[in-house]
Amino acid sequence: MLSPARFRPFRSFSSWFFIAVLICITISSTSGRTLTEQTSPIKAVNLGGWLVTEGWIKPSLFDGIPNNDFLDGTGLQFKSVTTGKYLCAERGGGTIIVANRTTPSDWETFKLWRINESTFNFRVFNNQFVGLDSEGNGDDVVAVSNSPGISETFQIVKDPNNSNLVRIKASNGLFLQAKSEVLVTADHPEGTGWGNDDPSVFELRTSGRLQGEFQVTNGYGPVRAPQVMRDHWRTFIVEEDFKWMSENGLDGVRIPVGWWIASDPTPPLPYVGGSLQALDNAFSWAQKYGLKVIIDLHAAPGSQNGNEHSASRDGSLEWGSTDSNIQQTVAVIEFLTARYARSPSLYAVELINEPLAPGVSLESLESYYSAGYKAVRRHSSTAFVILSNRLSSDSRELLPLASGLSGSVIDAHYYNLFSNVFDGMTVQQNIDFVSTNRTEDLNKITTSNGPLTFVGEWVAEWEVSGATKEDYQRFASAQLEVYGRATFGWAYWTLKNVKNHWSLEWMINNGYIKL
Ligand SMILES: *[C@@H]1O[C@H](CO)[C@@H](O)[C@H](O)[C@H]1NC(C)=O
Ligand SMILES: *[C@@H]1O[C@H](CO)[C@@H](O)[C@H](O)[C@H]1NC(C)=O
Ligand SMILES: *[C@@H]1O[C@H](CO)[C@@H](O)[C@H](O)[C@H]1NC(C)=O
Ligand SMILES: *[C@@H]1O[C@H](CO)[C@@H](O)[C@H](O)[C@H]1NC(C)=O
């Protein structure tokens, strides 16, 4: 729990005038709000890519990782130079590895688990790991083990003259070879000239990569990751940003956090400690500049959607499959609410971001939401509790549950992206889609006695190429108008991003958006 002493506001200020002002703000904000009288809808921005890494937001964070094309979850495909065919986990896993496929797809993709820069496990489509067959003659290559041990460990050796050519060294010290299309063994000796006649040489293709928190921390490894991450947390979002937000028409932040924050300062590897201190800083800056904070559990244990932004290791979705996993997540919510309940800036707690259907079932999500809601209420009677809709599901499915939870909010995310619906749409068609279809979507989840509604993520970016500044301005203001009718409010994705339109800071500073 956060002691009042550690949370002393304005501790660096010596001016009594400011302390007096602060006391007034504190008194009015702690005593002023009850759940039934939410004032006006919030205009907020996400602090994406800060406490939960997303490589596309700040690619340079990955620059210092050795062999950074081989991160956890990277999909590799291997074409034998002798058979001319791809390695394949026959039937997707559970049996032998063959070398008889002409086009690579799911069964021909081997997802990396990184041990260190040169040593890996390979996970196949059905989630087994490639290894040596302990039952047979010991050299046959199979995908049968559900957890990787020594015999599932391989080194990838690159041709020093051509990084597209690799050899794979097994735990017995010998190299994999495609003896024939149906026989892959680990018994080729060290020497090679990297020629087309060497059955231990494979042409490498990459299919899919993840750049999330697991990848960056495990990529740097336990010695370097703590410093790299702390430098990132200390510099990516700073006090000046909170000042800027307060001066540019924003009234709050939605802060994505990962489940490991609750075991700071010693989270399980590969995660590193220190993000909790950064969140503490955010709360004191928010208080200083009068901003509201929405804590958003963006990455739940096991990953609730298989994306890098939920810290998936290899694209798999395992959250919600067991009771203990759900209880662990409730404990994270309890920890966070208890820590910040006394801060006047705590505005809402979002229990989980973007769970994906059908991998996350409605049943387990509802049981989690009920328990998570109670955990928040044990510490705060005023914080709103935000329930994120499942991706790829009926947007009204949470209304029956949420209607019984006072102070609850439904979060829906609206992007004119990530769906072929938007392929080839013109500027005007995009704007009409927002005005018509998003209005309908929002109306569907807005009920008189039910939960409030929140557009917790949106962006002024689209599939249109060559759009002018004025096009962007019209698109942004159409969205502001529609999402401004969400009863809880909205949050732009995101404050900072190397891609300009995804950076609200850039959009406002360059006159694309005015609040
Ligand atoms: C990587 O891990 C393997 C297996 O533990 C070890 O043998 C090897 O020395 C390590 N390599 C590096 C570069 O740390
Ligand atoms: C790389 O290429 C150089 C020059 O063609 C050659 O001398 C050398 O043997 C090659 N190295 C390997 C490992 O094939
Ligand atoms: C590849 O080899 C396996 C094992 O013999 C066989 O079952 C499968 O049908 C073969 N697939 C193709 C596309 O040749
Ligand atoms: C948008 O809404 C209009 C009017 O309801 C409907 O005709 C149209 O099909 C919708 N567009 C899409 C892409 O769903």
Side-chain angles (χ1 to χ4, degrees):
M1 288 240 240
L2 191 69
S3 70
R6 275 191 68 197
F7 218 72
R8 197 169 53 228
F10 287 174
R11 53 192 166 227
S12 58
F13 270 62
S14 54
S15 156
W16 287 104
F17 171 74
F18 275 102
I19 291 174
V21 169
L22 172 86
I23 289 168
C24 294
I25 293 171
T26 309
I27 289 169
S28 65
S29 51
T30 46
S31 62
R33 183 167 62 85
T34 67
L35 271 176
T36 45
E37 49 173 295
Q38 184 217 10
T39 48
S40 53
I42 190 170
K43 294 191 285 256
V45 62
N46 285 279
L47 303 186
W50 186 34
L51 305 184
V52 180
T53 296
E54 296 189 39
W56 68 287
I57 291 178
K58 184 183 170 184
S60 61
L61 193 54
F62 288 75
D63 285 352
I65 299 178
N67 231 350
N68 67 6
D69 48 350
F70 290 164
L71 298 176
D72 287 276
T74 300
L76 298 185
Q77 299 167 336
F78 303 97
K79 185 176 172 182
S80 161
V81 298
T82 51
T83 69
K85 305 259 173 89
Y86 286 90
L87 291 187
C88 169
E90 189 59 39
R91 285 188 249 139
T95 175
I96 56 172
I97 302 293
V98 291
N100 65 6
R101 296 306 207 283
T102 48
T103 41
S105 178
D106 295 344
W107 291 5
E108 294 76 29
T109 302
F110 298 86
K111 285 171 287 180
L112 291 179
W113 277 26
R114 178 169 163 133
I115 311 299
N116 59 37
E117 61 185 273
S118 54
T119 307
F120 307 89
N121 308 129
F122 298 113
R123 204 176 197 193
V124 302
F125 182 70
N126 291 339
N127 287 337
Q128 297 92 344
F129 293 87
V130 176
L132 303 185
D133 184 12
S134 53
E135 321 237 299
N137 62 15
D139 294 341
D140 292 348
V141 182
V142 294
V144 295
S145 172
N146 290 316
S147 58
I150 303 256
S151 120
E152 284 73 39
T153 301
F154 298 89
Q155 286 187 343
I156 303 179
V157 180
K158 288 179 178 165
D159 177 354
N161 286 343
N162 175 358
S163 61
N164 286 330
L165 294 182
V166 296
R167 300 173 82 213
I168 304 163
K169 191 178 192 176
S171 54
N172 61 5
L174 301 172
F175 288 83
L176 261 59
Q177 60 173 328
K179 275 194 176 140
S180 74
E181 292 200 0
V182 296
L183 186 59
V184 179
T185 52
D187 56 358
H188 194 285
E190 185 80 35
T192 182
W194 294 99
N196 275 343
D197 54 350
D198 184 336
S200 70
V201 175
F202 297 89
E203 235 177 81
L204 180 71
R205 276 179 48 142
T206 299
S207 166
R209 68 195 297 251
L210 298 174
Q211 287 192 308
E213 189 84 7
F214 198 102
Q215 286 72 31
V216 74
T217 52
N218 202 35
Y220 280 106
V223 177
R224 291 183 61 198
Q227 192 59 51
V228 170
M229 297 313 293
R230 283 171 208 159
D231 286 347
H232 168 61
W233 295 329
R234 192 171 47 74
T235 56
F236 188 62
I237 299 288
V238 296
E239 176 174 343
E240 193 60 25
D241 295 319
F242 280 72
K243 180 163 184 278
W244 179 90
M245 290 185 272
S246 70
E247 290 168 350
N248 282 277
L250 289 159
D251 22 63
V253 287
R254 177 175 180 258
I255 306 184
V257 301
W259 60 271
W260 54 89
I261 198 171
S263 37
D264 218 87
T266 51
L269 287 173
Y271 302 107
V272 304
S275 62
L276 190 59
Q277 177 62 56
L279 187 59
D280 285 352
N281 292 342
F283 268 92
S284 24
W285 299 331
Q287 185 170 350
K288 179 164 171 183
Y289 296 103
L291 294 168
K292 296 166 172 152
V293 177
I294 298 165
I295 300 179
D296 155 40
L297 185 65
H298 217 70
S303 172
Q304 71 277 21
N305 52 37
N307 288 310
E308 67 183 20
H309 56 72
S310 60
S312 181
R313 179 172 196 174
D314 63 9
S316 39
L317 181 169
E318 279 152 19
W319 183 85
S321 51
T322 63
D323 252 12
S324 70
N325 176 269
I326 290 179
Q327 285 320 309
Q328 185 190 359
T329 317
V330 172
V332 173
I333 293 297
E334 177 123 36
F335 168 85
L336 289 168
T337 316
R339 188 174 182 91
Y340 299 111
R342 306 169 65 136
S343 165
S345 300
L346 179 68
Y347 192 59
V349 178
E350 181 153 0
L351 299 179
I352 197 169
N353 177 66
E354 294 188 349
L356 174 65
V360 172
S361 71
L362 183 58
E363 193 190 3
S364 50
L365 186 63
E366 288 188 333
S367 106
Y368 168 65
Y369 277 162
S370 303
Y373 178 86
K374 285 186 196 135
V376 174
R377 284 287 168 264
R378 278 195 284 277
H379 304 277
S380 170
S381 57
T382 53
F384 291 97
V385 182
I386 305 179
L387 315 182
S388 177
N389 266 334
R390 285 193 303 168
L391 296 178
S392 326
S393 195
D394 174 9
S395 64
R396 294 175 57 92
E397 69 183 11
L398 295 172
L399 292 183
L401 172 74
S403 300
L405 306 176
S406 109
S408 68
V409 179
I410 298 287
D411 181 12
H413 297 171
Y414 294 144
Y415 291 102
N416 279 24
L417 292 160
F418 314 125
S419 157
N420 54 19
V421 165
F422 305 105
D423 292 353
M425 267 195 189
T426 62
V427 169
Q428 192 56 45
Q429 285 168 334
N430 271 284
I431 291 171
D432 292 344
F433 186 88
V434 167
S435 307
T436 307
N437 305 66
R438 293 307 191 198
T439 298
E440 281 174 15
D441 292 342
L442 201 51
N443 287 345
K444 264 171 64 182
I445 54 172
T446 308
T447 52
S448 50
N449 287 318
L452 298 173
T453 54
F454 181 40
V455 181
E457 293 185 17
W458 67 277
V459 66
E461 187 56 298
W462 46 15
E463 302 283 2
V464 179
S465 54
T468 64
K469 177 171 177 177
E470 199 212 331
D471 295 333
Y472 275 100
Q473 288 170 326
R474 288 174 54 220
F475 183 45
S477 56
Q479 294 190 84
L480 283 169
E481 187 183 330
V482 174
Y483 309 155
R485 297 198 286 264
T487 51
F488 180 79
W490 53 257
Y492 194 89
W493 187 273
T494 182
L495 181 65
K496 297 192 177 193
N497 199 312
V498 289
K499 294 178 188 293
N500 293 340
H501 303 137
W502 293 86
S503 161
L504 186 61
E505 179 182 67
W506 189 92
M507 293 296 263
I508 288 179
N509 286 342
N510 289 278
Y512 283 64
I513 289 180
K514 189 166 171 12
L515 300 177

